[in-house]
Amino acid sequence: MGIDLPDRNFDEALAIEIAKGKENLGDREIASLIDAPEITIPEQRLAVQLLVNIDPPAYFAKQELYSVIVAKGTNIALQYGNIAESAKSFVTYGIVQGSILGDYRAGYEFGQLAVKVSEKFHDFTQKCSACLVFAGHLNHWVKHIKFAEEIFNDSYHAGLAVGELRHSGYALEHQLRYLF
């Protein structure tokens, strides 16, 4: 698929992907990416799907690799267009934007974009995941924490609709923690 994942020098690999991301985004507004065409190249579609599916284990096992995976998935979307799974790439790229680069507004905007992409493709699995990450990791950078409740509810209900119990459960767990 032409995707190389590093086994060392993660910071260097991430810096390269972030530079590519800035170049691929160009002067487009993040919100305008909702109008990007659908990816038509089967290998690029599969690449995004594979990267989205390996990002959860990477998140728990090797955060440095996780960030590279997320940036690679986003770069494919920025170059070739969107598919439903682009939502997960965008929302997790929002984490990179805020947590690593300190660009909290861009992180928030990528979260908003992710939810809209999941809705555009009518994909409740992706909406569940996008809403969870948006509410739990991006929303509080720009808005009061109280505004996360509705987004968590959207995540929970979208997941229940399609049997996506993992992220639905995470949404409930986050809501309970936010009550404190």
Side-chain angles (χ1 to χ4, degrees), residues 79-96:
Q79 285 181 286
Y80 298 100
N82 297 326
I83 59 173
E85 290 83 1
S86 299
K88 182 78 184 310
S89 292
F90 288 141
V91 76
T92 51
Y93 193 63
I95 295 173
V96 170

Side-chain angles (χ1 to χ4, degrees), residues 16-17 22 28 36 40 43 71 77-78 96 104 106-107 109 115 120 131-132 137 142 150-151 166 179:
I16 290 167
E17 291 301 322
K22 287 180 182 177
R28 294 181 289 177
T40 57
E43 293 83 5
L78 291 173
V96 170
Y104 303 109
E109 289 177 15
V115 173
K120 179 179 181 176
C131 287
L132 169 73
H137 299 278
V142 175
E150 183 178 336
I151 305 167
R166 176 180 52 170
L179 288 174

Side-chain angles (χ1 to χ4, degrees), residues 14 18 21 25 46 48 51 63 80-81 116 124-125 157 165:
L14 180 60
I18 288 172
L25 181 61
L46 184 58
V48 172
L51 289 168
Q63 287 281 312
Y80 298 100
K116 289 178 182 171
F124 285 136
T125 299
H157 291 293
L165 302 180

Side-chain angles (χ1 to χ4, degrees), residues 5-87:
L5 296 177
D7 57 2
R8 61 184 171 283
N9 299 326
F10 299 107
D11 290 340
E12 180 181 326
L14 180 60
I16 290 167
E17 291 301 322
I18 288 172
K20 285 181 188 176
K22 287 180 182 177
E23 182 180 326
N24 289 330
L25 181 61
D27 61 355
R28 294 181 289 177
E29 296 289 324
I30 294 168
S32 74
L33 298 174
I34 190 68
D35 298 322
E38 188 170 344
I39 298 174
T40 57
I41 302 168
E43 293 83 5
Q44 296 304 327
R45 292 176 69 90
L46 184 58
V48 172
Q49 292 166 342
L50 289 171
L51 289 168
V52 163
N53 282 311
I54 64 171
D55 90 14
Y59 178 83
F60 290 109
K62 193 96 176 142
Q63 287 281 312
E64 299 89 350
L65 178 59
Y66 168 78
S67 298
V68 174
I69 290 168
V70 162
K72 283 184 178 288
T74 299
N75 273 322
I76 293 170
L78 291 173
Q79 285 181 286
Y80 298 100
N82 297 326
I83 59 173
E85 290 83 1
S86 299

